[in-house]
Amino acid sequence: MPGQALLRRMSWSLADQVLASLTNFGLTVLVARSVAPHQFGVFSIVMAAYILVAYLSRGLTADPLVTRYSTAARPAWAGAVRASTAATALVGLFLAAAVAVLSPFLPAGPRMLSLAFAVVLPGVLMQDHLRFAFFTEGRPGKAFANDLLWAATQFSAIAVVVNSGVHAVPPLILLWGGSGTIAALVGLAQLRQLPAPSRVRWWFAEHRELWRPYAVENSLLQVTNLVVLAVVGAVAGLAAAGSLRAAVAVFGPLTILALGALAGGVPELARVARRDVDRMRRYALLLGCVLAAATVLWGLAVLLLPMSAGHALFGQTWTLARPILVFTLIDAVGALFVIGPFAGLRALGSGRRSLRIRAAFSVVRLVIACAGALAGGLHGAVLAFAVMAPVQMIGWWWQFTRACARPARVDPDPVASYVASP
C-alpha cells in the first residue's frame, strides 16, 4: 500500500531525527556541565561554525540529490550517489584545510578547538550526506541504524574520558567527530556505492542551477546566527554568547526533529508534487503547523521547569539563559513553521525563489539583531529575533503559494543526463 509505505518511511525519518536530536542535545548538556560559562561560549561559536559548513555542504551535494533523485530509477540514483559522495569528500577536505589554515591566527583556546574541528570535519560531513542518500533511496531505516551506531560509539567514548577526569572541550570534539567518522565508513558499506571521484566534475556541472542557490541559501541563515552570536559575545561577553546558545539548545530536540521531517519530507513531497501540486501544498501546510504546535507545547513545558532543573542541565549558564526563553520560543515557532513552505519549495525545485526570500529575510534579521545586540546586549538580540518570526512565517508561505501556481522544473530525466555525461 502506497500510504503505508509513506507512513513507514516518514516514521523512520522522524525516529532517526529523534535519535540525532537526543545525541546533539546530550553533547551540549555534557559540555555545559563540564566547563565554565565562557568556555561554553567558545564551544558554542565553534559548533555554530560546524552547522554553517554542514549546511553549505548539504547545499552543494545532498540537497540537489534529494530534489532530483528521490524518484529516479536505480541506475540513475546509484550514479548520482557515487558522484555526490565523492563531491562531499572533496568539500569536506577543502573546508577542513581552510579551518586548519585559519587556526594559527586564533587565540590559544579557540585554536585547539578549531584544529580538533578540522581533523574530524570530513568524516562528520560524509556521515551527514549518507543519511540523505539513504532517504533518497527510500530506506531511512539505514540512516537510523547509522546514527544509532554514532550515538553509541560517541557516548561510550565520552563516558570513559569524562570519568577519567578529562573535561577539556577539544578531546570531546575529537571523540564526537571521530565516532562520526567511524559511522561514515560503516555508512559507505551500508550504501554499497563507492564514491566516484571522476564524476565530481559532472555532478557540479549537471546540477549547477540547484547547488548554487542551495549552497548560498543554506549558508545565509547560519552566517546570520554565527555573526549575531559573535556580536553578542563581543558586546556582552562570552558568557552571554553561551547563554544564547543554551537558550537555543533548549529547542534543539524540536529543531532537529524538524530537520528530520525536512530530510524525509522533501523526497516525499517531491513524489507527491509530481502527481498533485495542490495536495503537496496541503501536506506542506500540515507539516509547518504540526512543527509549530509541537514547538509551542515544548516551549511552555520548558518555561514551567524550576530553576534547579535548568541548573542541573546547563550549570551556571542557565542563570542568563532562562530570562530570554520567551523570545527564543517565539523565534523557534516561526522557524519551525517555515520548514513546511521551505520543504515545499525544495520539492518543487524552486531554488531561486527560495534563495531570494532567504536572502531578504537574512539581511533584515542580521541588521536588526546586531542593532538590538549593540543597543541592548543579549536581550536586544533575542527581542529582534522574536519580532521577525511572524513576518518570516507570512513571507515564506506567500512565496510558496506563488510557486505552487507556477511549479519549476524538478526532474530533467536524470537517467538520460547521467548516462549521457562523459
Side-chain angles (χ1 to χ4, degrees):
M1 296 290 291
Q4 292 178 344
L6 171 62
L7 180 61
R8 183 172 61 253
R9 291 193 298 267
M10 290 301 297
S11 297
W12 274 116
S13 298
L14 292 175
D16 174 63
Q17 286 307 132
V18 168
L19 175 63
S21 69
L22 291 175
T23 302
N24 291 338
F25 185 71
L27 177 66
T28 300
V29 169
L30 179 60
V31 175
R33 287 172 54 87
S34 303
V35 301
H38 72 280
Q39 290 178 304
F40 184 66
V42 175
F43 166 80
S44 299
I45 293 174
V46 171
M47 291 308 294
Y50 161 68
I51 295 173
L52 168 62
V53 297
Y55 274 76
L56 173 62
S57 178
R58 287 180 187 180
L60 294 170
T61 57
D63 290 337
L65 180 70
V66 170
T67 297
R68 284 196 169 165
Y69 294 92
S70 294
T71 58
R74 182 74 184 187
W77 172 85
V81 165
R82 294 179 65 218
S84 63
T85 50
T88 299
L90 180 63
V91 170
L93 290 172
F94 175 80
L95 292 174
V99 172
V101 168
L102 292 175
S103 295
F105 301 98
L106 299 175
R111 183 188 311 140
M112 296 304 297
L113 269 176
S114 63
L115 287 173
F117 177 52
V119 169
V120 302
L121 186 57
V124 295
L125 290 182
M126 179 60 72
Q127 196 276 343
D128 183 70
H129 179 77
L130 293 176
R131 295 171 58 251
F132 289 90
F134 294 139
F135 290 139
T136 59
E137 189 184 12
R139 297 177 181 270
K142 289 184 177 181
F144 178 85
N146 195 262
D147 274 333
L148 183 61
L149 171 64
W150 188 4
T153 307
Q154 174 184 166
F155 285 112
S156 296
I158 289 177
V160 171
V161 170
V162 170
N163 288 334
S164 67
V166 177
H167 297 284
V169 175
L172 298 181
I173 293 293
L174 288 174
L175 292 174
W176 162 76
S179 57
T181 301
I182 293 172
L185 294 174
V186 173
L188 288 172
Q190 289 177 282
L191 196 63
R192 298 182 180 179
Q193 301 290 336
L194 293 177
S198 61
R199 314 297 296 183
V200 170
R201 179 177 295 181
W202 169 82
W203 174 264
F204 286 118
E206 178 65 22
H207 305 294
R208 182 182 297 109
E209 70 272 22
L210 289 181
W211 64 257
R212 284 180 173 176
Y214 284 178
V216 175
E217 181 184 359
N218 284 3
S219 302
L220 280 174
L221 180 59
Q222 306 310 320
V223 167
T224 300
N225 293 337
L226 180 59
V227 171
V228 171
L229 195 64
V231 170
V232 169
V235 172
L238 288 174
S243 300
L244 178 57
R245 170 71 179 177
V248 173
V250 165
F251 299 96
L254 271 299
T255 301
I256 301 181
L257 181 64
L259 294 177
L262 180 63
V266 172
E268 301 303 334
L269 290 176
R271 293 183 180 102
V272 175
R274 283 166 174 79
R275 300 189 299 270
D276 188 341
V277 173
D278 286 338
R279 185 182 179 192
M280 186 275 289
R281 181 174 56 83
R282 293 192 296 271
Y283 282 169
L285 176 61
L286 177 62
L287 175 62
C289 290
V290 168
L291 290 173
T295 306
V296 170
L297 293 176
W298 180 272
L300 293 176
V302 171
L303 288 171
L304 294 174
L305 284 176
M307 285 294 291
S308 58
H311 281 295
L313 288 174
F314 293 100
Q316 299 176 14
T317 301
W318 186 250
T319 302
L320 292 175
R322 177 61 180 80
I324 64 173
L325 279 179
V326 172
F327 301 114
T328 54
L329 168 59
I330 296 172
D331 184 42
V333 170
L336 269 69
F337 173 81
V338 164
I339 292 293
F342 174 72
L345 287 171
R346 285 292 169 92
L348 291 172
S350 300
R352 294 186 182 278
R353 182 185 296 272
S354 183
L355 173 59
R356 286 196 299 269
I357 188 171
R358 178 75 72 188
F361 279 129
S362 293
V363 170
V364 176
R365 179 183 169 95
L366 177 62
V367 170
I368 67 170
C370 288
L374 293 171
L378 176 60
H379 287 78
V382 294
L383 176 60
F385 284 158
V387 169
M388 279 296 298
V391 179
Q392 291 184 106
M393 294 169 69
I394 295 170
W396 275 96
W397 187 255
W398 176 61
Q399 286 291 332
F400 174 53
T401 54
R402 291 187 64 191
C404 287
R406 292 177 295 177
R409 183 188 71 162
V410 175
D411 191 344
D413 190 2
V415 176
S417 67
Y418 178 78
V419 172
S421 64

